[in-house]
Amino acid sequence: RAKAAGGNRYELADADCDARAIARHSLTNGLPAALENGEFFIEYQPLVRLTDGSVRGAEALVRWLHPVHGVLGPDQFIPLAESTGLIVPLGRWVLEEAARQARAWRSEGKCRAPMRVNVNLSPSQLRYPSLVAETVAVLENAGLPPSALCLEVTENALIGADEEELRPLRQLADMGVDIALDDFGTGYSNLSYLRRLPVSTLKLDRSFTRGMQCSPADPVDVKIVEGIVSLAHTLDLSVTVEGVETGTQAEHLRGLGCDTAQGWYYARPGPPERLCASASADASP
Ligand code: C2E
Ligand code: MG
Ligand code: MG
Ligand code: MG
């Protein structure tokens, strides 16, 4: 009996795996048509300056409004797009759309400061030969200065990259595009490598923000964040913290000298119209 039950369990687990593989397969196959049919959309999450609470810009976060499954988050389809190469046209669309949106925020003039937009780049996009040319073209078409754009690349995508592989990013950085190292602190990188990367911002991973939830904050996390902030500022990098969910966390991180914050405490990712609405709400002293 026990054996039969074990057998069943095995079959169940197996069926489960098959179902997941089939789901993955059908999602993957659906990606090109989804791009053509306009099923992707972008939510924007504000980036807030910690010293005065002002909104400086927003990160573009892509979603898929799937006709059957509803709204899917990037974790459910970006890896599939990455493995099939569709990430290149999808990423191009995100960049164009985000630049158009940044232009609109600037033209509407509802925001106090000129809004900047952050766009995530995946590893294949970094290796795509036309990355620099296309990015320049997108900025020109949108009438945006390079400083209006921040490209976010994960620490893991850059670990081990040699000078040749870093060249496109360096070219963009030299033009004035801000490059942020996303999910910083989750990779196993040698800190000294920071000196050779063309980055201007460290985005501290959410895992560090968690230790700031209580008062007093977790003393080990405090030491780590202090260390990272001081290293970053020494290297002339600014520090953005992600995943700020409470005022307590925001206070701790401000006290530790972090420059910019992003998280549910300020706003969840949402439609673009909300950005300037929160920016003007922000206008109160
Ligand atoms: P990320 O770039 O690190 O983006 C931050 C993620 O944290 C977002 O998840 C955001 O919704 C979530 N988040 C923001 N504030 C909070 C908070 O206070 N608490 C918690 N628990 N979470 C918070 P999301 O939108 O699911 O995106 C996941 C990842 O997908 C992103 O991580 C990014 O790596 C990737 N991604 C999103 N859009 C794109 C894109 O257009 N292209 C590429 N290549 N990757 C993208
Ligand atoms: Mg990001
Ligand atoms: Mg991140
Ligand atoms: Mg992250």
Side-chain angles (χ1 to χ4, degrees):
R1 250 199 91 156
K3 207 174 172 192
N8 281 337
R9 222 171 10 245
Y10 174 72
E11 275 165 31
L12 267 180
D14 216 31
D16 226 46
C17 287
D18 287 349
R20 269 200 298 269
I22 290 166
R24 244 192 337 265
H25 189 72
S26 88
L27 281 186
T28 306
N29 286 342
L31 282 167
L35 188 58
E36 241 164 70
N37 299 339
E39 291 171 13
F40 293 102
F41 66 101
I42 301 177
E43 289 192 316
Y44 295 88
Q45 187 176 36
L47 287 151
V48 177
R49 187 157 73 185
L50 276 163
T51 47
D52 62 2
S54 62
V55 177
R56 313 312 289 179
E59 179 173 8
L61 296 160
V62 68
R63 279 91 179 83
W64 179 3
L65 180 53
H66 191 282
V68 176
H69 304 296
V71 175
L72 302 178
D75 292 334
Q76 290 168 280
F77 62 84
I78 290 287
L80 307 178
E82 174 78 25
S83 67
T84 55
L86 196 87
I87 191 68
V88 169
L90 176 58
R92 183 187 299 129
W93 177 81
V94 172
L95 180 64
E96 281 166 356
E97 180 60 23
R100 198 195 53 71
Q101 188 56 59
R103 172 76 270 160
W105 285 324
R106 287 177 176 227
S107 305
E108 284 160 10
K110 283 190 227 149
C111 306
R112 292 169 77 206
M115 287 297 119
R116 306 179 358 136
V117 73
N118 286 34
V119 173
N120 292 283
L121 282 191
S122 69
S124 333
Q125 290 175 278
L126 285 176
R127 291 189 300 267
Y128 179 64
S130 309
L131 174 70
V132 176
E134 281 184 9
T135 305
V136 170
V138 166
L139 288 170
E140 274 174 8
N141 288 339
L144 288 175
S147 60
L149 176 67
C150 174
L151 295 174
E152 300 193 0
V153 291
T154 63
E155 185 183 14
N156 283 320
L158 292 188
I159 287 177
D162 59 26
E163 202 40 50
E164 173 78 23
E165 290 160 320
L166 290 175
R167 190 176 304 143
L169 277 189
R170 199 175 298 285
Q171 281 178 291
L172 290 165
D174 288 344
M175 277 167 8
V177 174
D178 191 16
I179 311 287
L181 207 49
D182 205 352
D183 301 340
F184 182 76
T186 58
Y188 295 93
S189 48
N190 179 340
L191 285 182
S192 67
Y193 92 133
L194 278 178
R195 281 168 53 200
R196 10 179 251 99
L197 294 181
V199 301
S200 33
T201 300
L202 296 186
K203 281 193 92 170
L204 206 53
D205 191 69
R206 195 156 73 227
S207 46
F208 297 100
T209 315
R210 242 173 259 139
M212 307 291 145
Q213 227 145 300
C214 303
S215 254
D218 181 282
V220 175
D221 281 328
V222 166
K223 286 285 175 210
I224 295 175
V225 174
E226 254 171 9
I228 292 175
V229 169
S230 116
L231 174 77
H233 288 169
T234 302
L235 297 173
D236 241 356
L237 306 173
S238 83
V239 178
T240 297
V241 284
E242 34 177 51
V244 178
E245 295 179 355
T246 66
T248 308
Q249 288 173 319
E251 266 320 297
H252 285 313
L253 292 159
R254 191 166 67 89
L256 290 171
C258 298
D259 304 289
T260 308
Q262 180 181 357
W264 298 344
Y265 173 63
Y266 302 99
R268 302 230 171 194
E273 307 81 56
R274 261 204 5 218
L275 188 79
C276 281
S278 52
S280 30
D282 207 66
S284 52

